[in-house]
Amino acid sequence: MHQEMRFCPCCATPLQWMAQQEDSGLKERLRCPSCDWTHWGNPTPVLAAVVENDQGEVLLARNALWQEGVFGLITGFMEAGESPEAGICREVLEETGLRTKALRMLGAWEFLRMNQVLIAYHVRVEGSVQLSPELVEFRWQTAQQVRCWPSGTGYALAHWVQSKGIEPQFGAFRPGQSPEPDPAKWPLQPWAEDARFMVAPPL
């Protein structure tokens, strides 16, 4: 869980949950009762990479804090002053030793539990893997072998699998979690078939 702010950064007064009128109506947020500073709690941007080699395989890695058998994509935080594209190239290099030679955006997904927004890229790389201390194990898998998981980075991986002309297969990221994808996120639906959107009639 993301860490909750407790004190005002302007005057150090303890923050309180207070309701105020905003553009969207009455909204309760952590606010300073002394100087009226508001903690907006905006999601943190996190970059993710579906890393593909020249053999058409994807790189999956295990974080040192994860249990054995759990593998995911290469991820990391954006740094001040860099673009998302530069950031994901830096993260891939720092965490794997691989250099990005081409990239394209796959999409963006929420990660509500950590108050993050995931910005995912498909990157083509060259070089040999040299893991950072954060990662303890890696594997290369084909689009046929890989199992996607029903959360943000798993949907990014599913996009990559589908781009290879293969129907993605889903499984739980960790034991005990549901292996089923959110029907609002997968399979992809045309706007006209998605209940969340109303397609305007042609003019």
Side-chain angles (χ1 to χ4, degrees):
M1 186 66 72
H2 65 282
Q3 192 171 14
E4 186 175 277
M5 180 168 279
R6 298 171 57 198
F7 299 95
C8 176
C10 298
C11 68
T13 300
L15 298 175
Q16 298 177 11
W17 286 100
M18 301 168 60
Q20 284 186 10
Q21 285 292 335
E22 298 180 359
D23 291 344
S24 59
L26 194 65
K27 185 74 175 180
E28 190 175 42
R29 299 187 193 275
L30 280 173
R31 305 179 196 271
C32 178
S34 180
C35 72
D36 294 328
W37 182 85
T38 297
H39 174 54
W40 298 101
N42 294 330
T44 302
V46 173
L47 305 172
V50 176
V51 177
E52 182 181 353
N53 62 17
D54 287 338
Q55 289 71 49
E57 299 167 318
V58 64
L59 178 71
L60 300 177
R62 182 166 73 88
N63 189 290
L65 301 177
W66 295 350
Q67 65 193 70
E68 193 169 341
V70 175
F71 288 78
L73 301 184
I74 302 302
T75 60
F77 294 102
M78 281 182 62
E79 292 187 357
E82 70 181 359
S83 67
E85 293 80 7
I88 197 58
C89 293
R90 172 187 54 75
E91 283 291 341
V92 169
L93 180 62
E94 288 177 356
E95 295 195 13
T96 71
L98 298 169
R99 293 195 174 274
T100 299
K101 56 184 182 178
L103 78 163
R104 66 184 178 97
M105 188 174 180
L106 290 171
W109 291 267
E110 81 285 355
F111 189 22
L112 298 180
R113 183 172 64 84
M114 297 297 290
N115 193 29
Q116 297 171 346
V117 59
L118 302 166
I119 306 170
Y121 288 87
H122 169 205
V123 303
R124 296 291 303 275
V125 295
E126 60 186 3
S128 57
V129 177
Q130 297 177 357
L131 294 181
S132 75
E134 293 180 22
L135 304 175
V136 294
E137 194 178 355
F138 75 94
R139 60 176 60 155
W140 291 102
Q141 290 191 320
T142 65
Q144 292 92 340
Q145 294 171 325
V146 75
R147 290 293 174 269
C148 306
W149 46 93
S151 62
T153 53
Y155 294 120
L157 184 58
H159 273 265
W160 175 80
V161 171
Q162 193 176 62
S163 75
K164 299 295 184 181
I166 297 165
E167 187 61 31
Q169 301 298 311
F170 282 84
F173 187 69
R174 290 187 175 92
Q177 292 183 331
S178 171
E180 299 302 322
D182 182 342
K185 298 175 183 175
W186 199 270
L188 298 177
Q189 304 174 62
W191 282 13
E193 299 173 13
D194 192 325
R196 296 173 298 168
F197 302 104
M198 182 179 71
V199 179
L203 299 176

